[in-house]
């Protein structure tokens, strides 16, 4: 007996309904398309954004696009074995990473899995990759300095705990080195009994050899003990690179929320934006300006807003961020650089011309700015460095003018001479951070004219000799600067006397 067409339709409808009920009951979906690290999944009506989905073979995916008829998920880990028609299960868990002190001294991937061959990590707590930033009421103004140990930064572009300071410049101008020096300097900046600044270095889309070099530098200087290195290298998937900075922020938030201090370096957010663009275009999100999706600003702002100095009621912890952005031939007005400049509390601009002229760190003092300013300096540094930025700015103007003028009046010649000596004074070798007391004495000598009478080539020798002279003969001055953190009249008189004594014998 033949079955009528309408009966076939009703049988199919019943089958589909029972299948839908089963899918709903089991939270199971089906892969309808897979490729380029992206899977489209049919079903899973209860799925949330950021939820972990379980694919066959133990591979996980992250639900990012929730559309009417399908879900777009990025695959984390190996995906070659996944094919159309495979079943996908909801886990009900939003993506999270291990956090805590167990991670210190380790090199991990985006998911907090160890990459250094030093055994498993016994983390006792986990944190969501994406959490809301603290509100205005939960914060307090940035007032505590985060000493970088770099004279030019601590004197003119100070960074405070809880601040976000962008490091921007072309490739190979020393951006990473400023961040590494800052991490190295945290070894000695905290007082005995005080919480140190724990550091998280996030490497996004870099060569593994480069990351290995950074880890070796940290290990050599004993800085790996208080540092976590999170890496999503150039060979990792776009999804891993896109999630890496959020993992770093989550690890930093553990210290911030428990009354401790942390510093997180995102190296670099240009590659992060490119990875996010690749993920978004594969998920078919419409591209906007320069093919970046419209929410790329929101991507970086919600990441950087998590840096904060919490109020005393919330434990007074802090998370400081040093994001890095790479410019193309000095174009600060491109899309991603302007985005991140407008999110951060100032920027340190590194200039190739200065770098190749031997001024290292190659900081352009004109464009660089800290919007926290003197609030993030100890009083002694504020007192001696007040004139420094002004004198450097005047020097740059006079320098440009002096190229064309043959005869200059005495005052202009004096400005040029002072500026040259100060430029020389602010030069610094790699991995050689200065104590803030030594910086204060060196800058005092520079701004008070003690370097004007010597040749440019002798400035470094004079500076090192002066610091040694003060430490040897006037140890009480160093102690007073360390404890009182201000340049009182008697301290200033003693430092001036020490400078005069050393200048006579030099």
């Amino acid at each position: 007996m033949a079955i009528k067409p309408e009966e076939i339709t009703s049988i199919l409808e019943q089958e589909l309904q029972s299948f839908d009920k089963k899918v709903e009951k089991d939270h199971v979906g089906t892969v309808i398309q897979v490729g380029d690290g992206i899977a489209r999944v049919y079903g899973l009506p209860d799925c949330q954004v950021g939820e972990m989905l379980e694919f066959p073979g133990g591979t996980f995916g992250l639900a990012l696009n929730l559309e009417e008829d399908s879900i777009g998920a990025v695959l984390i880990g190996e995906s070659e074995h996944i094919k159309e028609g495979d079943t996908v299960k909801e886990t009900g868990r939003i993506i999270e990473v291990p956090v805590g002190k167990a991670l210190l001294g380790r090199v991990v991937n985006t998911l907090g899995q160890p990459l250094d061959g030093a055994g498993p990590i016994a983390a006792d707590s986990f944190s969501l990759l994406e959490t809301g930033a603290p509100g205005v009421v939960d914060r307090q103004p940035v007032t505590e300095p985060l000493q970088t140990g770099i004279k030019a930064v601590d004197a003119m572009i100070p960074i405070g705990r809880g601040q976000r300071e962008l490091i921007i410049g072309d490739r190979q101008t020393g951006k990473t080195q400023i961040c590494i020096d800052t991490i190295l300097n945290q070894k000695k900046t905290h007082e005995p009994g005080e919480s140190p600044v724990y550091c998280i270095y996030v490497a996004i889309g870099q060569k593994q050899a480069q990351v290995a070099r950074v880890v070796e530098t940290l290990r050599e200087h004993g800085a790996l003990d208080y540092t976590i290195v999170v890496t999503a290298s150039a060979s990792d998937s776009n999804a891993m690179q896109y999630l890496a900075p959020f993992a770093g922020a989550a690890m930093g938030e553990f210290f911030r929320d428990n009354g401790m201090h942390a510093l997180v370096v995102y190296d670099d957010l240009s590659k992060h934006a490119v990875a996010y663009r690749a993920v978004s275009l594969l998920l078919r999100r419409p591209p906007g300006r320069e093919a970046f999706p419209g929410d790329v600003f929101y991507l970086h702002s919600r990441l950087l807003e998590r840096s904060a100095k919490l109020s005393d009621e919330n434990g007074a912890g802090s998370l400081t961020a040093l994001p890095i952005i790479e410019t193309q031939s000095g174009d600060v007005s491109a899309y991603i650089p302007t985005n991140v400049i407008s999110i951060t509390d100032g920027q340190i601009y590194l200039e190739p011309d200065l770098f190749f002229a031997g001024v290292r760190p190659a900081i352009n003092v004109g464009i660089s700015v800290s919007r926290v300013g003197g609030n993030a300096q100890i009083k002694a540094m504020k007192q001696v460095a007040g004139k420094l930025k002004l004198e450097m700015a005047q020097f740059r103007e006079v320098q440009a003018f002096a190229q064309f003028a043959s005869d200059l009046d005495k005052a202009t010649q004096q400005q040029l001479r002072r500026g040259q000596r100060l430029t020389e004074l602010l030069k610094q070798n790699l991995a050689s951070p200065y104590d803030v007391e030594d910086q204060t004495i060196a800058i005092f000598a520079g701004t008070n004219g003690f370097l004007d009478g010597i040749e440019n080539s002798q400035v470094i020798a004079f500076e090192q000799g002066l610091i040694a002279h003060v430490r040897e003969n006037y140890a009480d001055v160093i102690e007073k600067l360390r404890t009182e953190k201000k340049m009182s009249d008697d301290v200033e008189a003693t430092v001036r006397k020490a400078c005069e004594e050393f200048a006579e014998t030099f």
Side-chain angles (χ1 to χ4, degrees), residues 41 59 98 101 156 182 209 237 301 304 347 359 368 410 437 440:
V41 180
T59 297
K101 290 189 174 181
M156 296 185 287
T182 304
S237 67
S301 64
L304 292 166
Q347 69 276 349
V359 179
S368 301
K410 211 160 190 172
E437 299 84 32
T440 307

Side-chain angles (χ1 to χ4, degrees), residues 441 444 450 466 469-470 473-478 480-481 487-502:
I441 289 161
F444 178 87
F450 289 104
L466 172 66
H469 173 71
V470 175
N473 302 305
Y474 299 98
D476 56 322
V477 165
I478 300 285
K480 273 189 179 171
L481 282 173
M487 196 75 129
S488 56
D489 292 343
D490 58 329
V491 169
E492 185 177 337
T494 314
V495 173
R496 191 179 291 279
K497 182 179 157 209
C499 291
E500 284 164 0
E501 283 172 10
F502 185 73

Side-chain angles (χ1 to χ4, degrees), residues 84-114:
E84 197 179 319
D86 281 349
T87 54
V88 184
K89 289 186 195 141
E90 273 183 31
T91 62
R93 282 180 26 234
I94 303 292
I95 186 166
E96 53 185 15
V97 286
V99 295
K101 290 189 174 181
L103 287 143
L104 293 170
R106 303 300 299 268
V107 182
V108 297
N109 69 5
T110 300
L111 302 175
Q113 297 159 335

Side-chain angles (χ1 to χ4, degrees), residues 148 153 157 159 165-169 178 322 346-350 363-364 367-369:
T148 65
V153 175
I157 318 143
I159 299 171
E165 183 80 9
L166 172 64
I167 316 288
I168 184 167
I178 282 190
L322 294 179
Q347 69 276 349
I348 294 173
Y349 178 65
L350 301 175
I363 296 170
N364 177 323
I367 300 178
S368 301
V369 62

Side-chain angles (χ1 to χ4, degrees), residues 420-465:
Q420 286 164 352
R421 301 302 174 272
L422 290 174
T423 303
E424 201 63 32
L425 182 70
L426 293 175
K427 287 184 186 176
Q428 199 165 330
N429 290 331
L430 303 180
S432 56
Y434 277 60
D435 286 341
V436 71
E437 299 84 32
D438 295 348
Q439 292 185 36
T440 307
I441 289 161
I443 290 163
F444 178 87
T447 51
N448 284 282
F450 289 104
L451 303 176
D452 295 357
I454 61 173
E455 289 306 310
N456 241 8
S457 56
Q458 296 177 307
V459 169
I460 300 292
F462 183 93
E463 175 206 32
Q464 288 170 349

Side-chain angles (χ1 to χ4, degrees), residues 219-234:
R219 187 176 283 120
E220 265 174 43
H221 294 84
L224 199 58
D225 302 340
Y226 55 85
T227 305
I228 304 168
V229 178
V230 181
T231 174
S233 67

